[in-house]
Amino acid sequence: MTDIPAKASVASASNGSVLLTLMKARTFIALIAVLIFFSIAAPNFLSAANLILMSKHVALNAFLAMGMTFVIITGGIDLSVGSIVGLCGMVAGYLVLNGIDLQVGYTIYFNVFEIALITLAVGILIGAVNGLLITRLNVAPFIATLGVLYVARGLALLSSDGRTFPNLVGKPDLGTTGFGFLGAGRLLGLPVSIWILVVVALGAAYLAKYTPLGRHIFAVGGNERAARISGVRVNMVKMFVYMFSGFCAAIVGLIISSELMASHPATGESFELNAIAAAVLGGTSMSGGRGTIGGTIVGAFVIGILSDGLVMMGVSSFWQMVIKGLVIIVAVVVDQAQRRLQSRVTLMQMAKAG
Amino acid sequence: MNAAIDHDVILKLVDVSKVYSGTVAVKRANFEVRKGAVNVLVGENGAGKSTLMKIIAGVEQPTLGRILLEGEEVSFSSSGEAVSRGIGMVFQELNLFGNLTVAENIFATREITNRFRKIDSREQERRAAEFLERLEAGIRPDMLVEDLRIGQQQLVEIAKAVSLDARILIMDEPTSALSAAEVEILFKVIADLKASGVAIVYISHRLEELIRIGDYITVLRDGRITGQEKMKNVDTQWIVRQMIGSDAKDFAKADGHVPGEEIFRAEDICLPRVTGGLAVDHVSLSLRTGEILGIYGLMGAGRSELFDCIMGRHGHATGTIFIAGKKVRERDTTRRIRRGLALIPEDRQREGLVSILSVASNLTLASLSRFVRLFHISGAKENQAVAQMVRELAIKVADPAQEVSSLSGGNQQKVVIGKALLTGPKVLLMDEPSRGIDVGAKADVFRTMRKLSRDGLGILFATSDLDEVMALSDRIAVMSNGKLTGMFDRAEATEAALVAASALGHGPVPHTESHAHD
Ligand SMILES: Nc1ncnc2c1ncn2[C@@H]1O[C@H](COP(=O)(O)OP(=O)(O)OP(=O)(O)O)[C@@H](O)[C@H]1O
Ligand SMILES: [Mg+2]
């Protein structure tokens, strides 16, 4: 009995298993396909400047999608990320321009590094609010984060009465200059935001694979009750994923306002949908328990390149929407087909092995 | 196989094989189901029993081979088709909708409707009540299934299958969560069905049950049929020999080591029931190192609830517990596990396993901190522990990276046991640990329990199997209706005394005097 699986794995490389390998790498293949397609169809697509520009766009969605991936793996959803992006951008802008007025005649100004830390803290805090609503008050994730979506967006609008904080250059005498570095700076020829993405992504992938917390995230999504009885701190795990999602959203808020050197309260509207799309395209299962950071990043690249490429080709934004939707649907259909094919292929291998 | 001519063959499997990704579950099996008789199927965990039955019930399609129903070749692409041809099945893993009522579950997909296609729930509940009555289940048809205990759910599953009016009724370990009393009732129902000409296929790991009700027996080993006989020609020894190829390993004998000092004590544990009264009623007990304390009781005696209280799963439970003389103040499960408690839950699907994770991840889920340096899980250490558990418990799995849901029922149970053992507990709570595992594995698990107790573990072990509790325990506690109704040393325990104690206070109405205490 036990010798049969061993034999079967020897008998590989049949037609089916080639197809299976192709399907497993489908997001990656999709990525290469869009790259090839646009490099032919859109002039200048492969120029270094354009590639860097695109990856900066992709990075924004990739951050959100990573946070979203963990949330979805635990069986939840985070609709509030777009609003957190907007609110965090406003927080950063406000701090650069106004500092904090202590009401006693003093105003504290922070340097850019401190501003970044405070903004990240705000993002994490909002994530914690999501987490508390979901774990302590038992609100369904969809509803809790939907509520926070509105609250955070409302606060962002209130913070400036709906106006933009322009011109975030800061004043040298207050030490608030240099805010543009995040969005426009370069290290070793690559944009700073890309480096941050690399660091956060490697960290998240490591966390998912090699730490107890990562394992627990999957366990909670797979069977919350069993996880609890096994001693997994389910509430802590959920708090973490929403706080991490908030953290990622805060990074995006910082980067966008730094790129534009301005904060606009409507920034980030509908970003949550792109993030969900990237996660799903990368193989994250909406019912929880399944997903990878690597897959999500590739998914974000596919979506990002697709929309930038279509823009370059001059396709109307209406058609862009249709195409993006179709790509997402096709991705999930292929995902299902792969599962079916997988068992079929093993059958064929078995048959060969006798 | 020319022995039996007295019952007509109604269904025949010819050279049936079934291949899953990773395993050949059934190899060229020939199997006959006879009318008006109980056709027993036995075999080790993972032998392919459930698979073979799922093929008959249309849940799985055979990779090769033919199915002949009354001589006519059939192929079912869904269980619905099989049902329409009069084949019903009680599945090993419960297939119920927790969010629906008992009646709705029983009539799922066959809803009784009135003229306007509106579901007639009154009629459904009335009919459901009839079937439940027959099983003397004491379950109201309007109860939600998720509020039922696992044994009751199993009865609902049986009622559902019986209500199909099937000509062939397959029961895959229908009694694994039932205690002696319910089994008796089920046997009466089976006898009725048999008398009315229904062909019954019965799978169980409780060999005495098989001997008692079987007419024909078929033994499966590693997906092959290794023996087919009339039940009256065989005995347990024969069955075991056909099943595992050698004689039965004994239940581990007591080795005469003397329990040490107290490791665990529970004082005055109470758990209120939602419906009023107490599910656990002022239970106090103590356990010494190296001692195995068996807790015997009937279904609903409150054993699982007691374990839940000890593990800190109910915020509203009262009472105190002590480990090694120190009071445990932690009230949540995680920290109680850290203090050295571990639970093997009764319901492996809902509480024991994360079904989409791998066998390896499930095994180490509760003990990850053992393999962690700083915050990094050491893959090598983890794999080593997994390999050791797979070997020690003889878990039948091709590759530990396989999803745990692809294992056979008994092997899944072994994973749950392995998970608890890996936490290195001081006190191990085992709730029906032998549910669904074969004789060989049972002996392995019992031997492991003995070894653990020799190493100084205290073991609390709940079971509704008299033989088990008598063979394994150093002391035996009996629970009935939430109360501790007896405590026996092994030397003085008799089956009669245990049974008597387990029936104490089993009135129709829960007693009211307990309210006076609170
Ligand atoms: N969905 C599946 N995918 C892959 N392998 C499977 C699947 N279902 C069952 N198997 C394998 O098929 C074999 C037979 O399983 P089956 O459930 O029929 O055993 P069983 O005789 O019912 O055992 P038990 O007494 O433990 O219930 C096992 O090795 C099991 O791992
Ligand atoms: Mg089975």
Side-chain angles (χ1 to χ4, degrees), chain A residues 160-295:
Chain A
S160 66
D161 256 343
R163 283 189 296 270
T164 303
F165 290 136
N167 242 349
L168 302 178
V169 277
K171 300 195 187 83
D173 49 329
L174 298 174
T176 52
T177 49
F179 188 61
F181 179 68
L182 271 180
R186 299 238 171 157
L187 284 174
L188 304 175
L190 282 182
V192 174
S193 58
I194 298 294
W195 286 111
I196 303 178
L197 177 68
V198 169
V199 171
V200 176
L202 287 178
Y206 176 85
L207 180 112
K209 214 165 167 149
Y210 295 109
T211 67
L213 178 58
R215 199 67 74 73
H216 291 169
I217 290 174
F218 285 88
V220 168
N223 183 349
E224 196 174 319
R225 261 172 93 160
R228 193 165 267 139
I229 296 177
S230 304
V232 174
R233 298 190 166 175
V234 174
N235 286 353
M236 211 199 72
V237 170
K238 288 191 180 170
M239 288 297 293
F240 170 81
V241 295
Y242 288 98
M243 284 160 73
F244 180 72
S245 181
F247 168 79
C248 289
I251 296 180
V252 175
L254 278 171
I255 293 176
I256 293 182
S257 43
S258 165
E259 271 173 357
L260 304 175
M261 290 305 268
S263 321
H264 183 64
T267 306
E269 264 171 11
S270 87
F271 277 19
E272 58 278 352
L273 299 181
N274 276 326
I276 295 171
V280 170
L281 206 57
T284 310
S285 145
M286 288 302 283
S287 50
R290 263 195 204 103
T292 59
I293 293 294

Side-chain angles (χ1 to χ4, degrees), chain A residues 1-2 4-5 206 209-213 215-216 218-219 221-223 225-234 288-290 339 342-343 346-347 350 354, chain B residues 19-24 27 222 313 333-335 337-338 343 349-354 356-357 361 364-366 368 372 375-377 382 396 398 403 419:
Chain A
M1 184 85 217
T2 37
I4 281 164
Y206 176 85
K209 214 165 167 149
Y210 295 109
T211 67
L213 178 58
R215 199 67 74 73
H216 291 169
F218 285 88
N223 183 349
R225 261 172 93 160
R228 193 165 267 139
I229 296 177
S230 304
V232 174
R233 298 190 166 175
V234 174
R290 263 195 204 103
R339 266 162 232 273
Q342 192 148 20
S343 48
T346 334
L347 283 185
M350 292 289 168
Chain B
V19 182
Y20 285 115
S21 54
T23 11
V24 183
K27 281 177 220 156
D222 280 348
R313 295 183 58 200
T333 314
T334 314
R335 283 183 295 168
I337 290 179
R338 295 229 175 107
L343 169 70
Q349 289 304 315
R350 276 200 296 182
E351 312 196 315
L353 297 170
V354 183
I356 64 173
L357 291 188
S361 301
T364 55
L365 183 59
L368 275 179
V372 170
F375 46 77
H376 180 88
I377 300 176
E382 192 188 0
K396 188 173 166 189
E403 271 180 28
K419 181 173 73 173

Side-chain angles (χ1 to χ4, degrees), chain B residues 44-51 54 92-93 172-173 203 205 348 408-410 436:
Chain B
E44 282 182 294
N45 293 133
K49 305 180 295 293
S50 302
T51 307
K54 284 183 196 157
Q92 180 176 16
E93 309 297 348
D172 193 352
E173 299 193 38
I203 299 177
H205 288 294
R348 61 170 170 264
S408 79

Side-chain angles (χ1 to χ4, degrees), chain A residues 61-337:
Chain A
N61 188 22
F63 277 116
L64 299 180
M66 281 192 291
M68 191 66 78
T69 302
F70 280 154
V71 171
I72 295 179
I73 292 175
T74 63
I77 190 88
D78 187 352
L79 300 179
S80 66
V81 287
S83 298
I84 300 180
V85 169
L87 181 57
C88 286
M90 295 311 279
V91 168
Y94 186 90
L95 289 177
V96 170
L97 290 185
N98 305 328
I100 291 180
D101 186 353
L102 291 181
Q103 306 291 344
V104 288
Y106 283 107
T107 302
I108 309 182
Y109 287 94
F110 300 96
N111 67 31
V112 169
F113 183 67
E114 289 161 347
I115 289 174
L117 285 186
I118 296 173
T119 310
L120 292 178
V122 170
I124 294 174
L125 188 77
I126 303 175
V129 171
N130 280 329
L132 286 174
L133 287 171
I134 290 159
T135 56
R136 299 286 154 193
L137 303 178
N138 271 329
V139 184
F142 192 97
I143 306 299
T145 57
L146 182 65
V148 170
L149 177 154
Y150 286 117
V151 173
R153 181 66 69 202
L155 290 177
L157 288 161
L158 281 172
S159 71
S160 66
D161 256 343
R163 283 189 296 270
T164 303
F165 290 136
N167 242 349
L168 302 178
V169 277
K171 300 195 187 83
D173 49 329
L174 298 174
T176 52
T177 49
F179 188 61
F181 179 68
L182 271 180
R186 299 238 171 157
L187 284 174
L188 304 175
L190 282 182
V192 174
S193 58
I194 298 294
W195 286 111
I196 303 178
L197 177 68
V198 169
V199 171
V200 176
L202 287 178
Y206 176 85
L207 180 112
K209 214 165 167 149
Y210 295 109
T211 67
L213 178 58
R215 199 67 74 73
H216 291 169
I217 290 174
F218 285 88
V220 168
N223 183 349
E224 196 174 319
R225 261 172 93 160
R228 193 165 267 139
I229 296 177
S230 304
V232 174
R233 298 190 166 175
V234 174
N235 286 353
M236 211 199 72
V237 170
K238 288 191 180 170
M239 288 297 293
F240 170 81
V241 295
Y242 288 98
M243 284 160 73
F244 180 72
S245 181
F247 168 79
C248 289
I251 296 180
V252 175
L254 278 171
I255 293 176
I256 293 182
S257 43
S258 165
E259 271 173 357
L260 304 175
M261 290 305 268
S263 321
H264 183 64
T267 306
E269 264 171 11
S270 87
F271 277 19
E272 58 278 352
L273 299 181
N274 276 326
I276 295 171
V280 170
L281 206 57
T284 310
S285 145
M286 288 302 283
S287 50
R290 263 195 204 103
T292 59
I293 293 294
T296 296
I297 303 264
V298 176
F301 268 92
V302 172
I303 291 190
I305 292 176
L306 195 66
S307 35
D308 279 15
L310 291 174
V311 170
M312 289 179 74
M313 281 175 65
V315 176
S316 89
S317 62
F318 305 154
W319 273 112
Q320 285 179 38
M321 281 198 182
V322 173
I323 292 170
K324 197 154 92 183
L326 290 178
V327 167
I328 293 169
I329 293 170
V330 168
V332 179
V333 171
V334 173
D335 188 47
Q336 295 302 325

Side-chain angles (χ1 to χ4, degrees), chain B residues 344-345 363 389 393 410 412-422 428 430 432-435 437 441 445 448:
Chain B
I344 293 170
L363 275 170
M389 266 304 143
L393 296 177
Q412 292 185 15
Q413 179 70 14
K414 293 186 201 170
V415 173
V416 182
I417 296 175
K419 181 173 73 173
L421 293 185
L422 274 178
L428 185 58
M430 309 177 97
E432 303 278 2
S434 62
R435 190 160 103 78
I437 61 180
V445 168
T448 315

Side-chain angles (χ1 to χ4, degrees), chain B residues 85-135:
Chain B
R85 299 296 300 265
I87 301 176
M89 175 157 175
V90 180
F91 293 94
Q92 180 176 16
E93 309 297 348
L94 300 168
N95 271 315
L96 297 171
F97 306 104
N99 55 343
L100 300 183
T101 67
V102 170
E104 281 162 350
N105 265 287
I106 290 179
F107 291 101
T109 74
R110 309 174 285 134
E111 287 78 5
I112 302 174
T113 52
N114 65 13
R115 260 183 306 152
F116 308 107
R117 310 261 322 138
K118 177 188 165 299
I119 292 180
D120 186 348
S121 34
R122 186 101 55 82
E123 175 66 10
Q124 282 196 16
E125 281 174 17
R126 193 187 60 74
R127 298 256 298 267
E130 271 172 27
F131 291 111
L132 293 167
E133 189 60 34
R134 226 169 133 188
L135 289 166

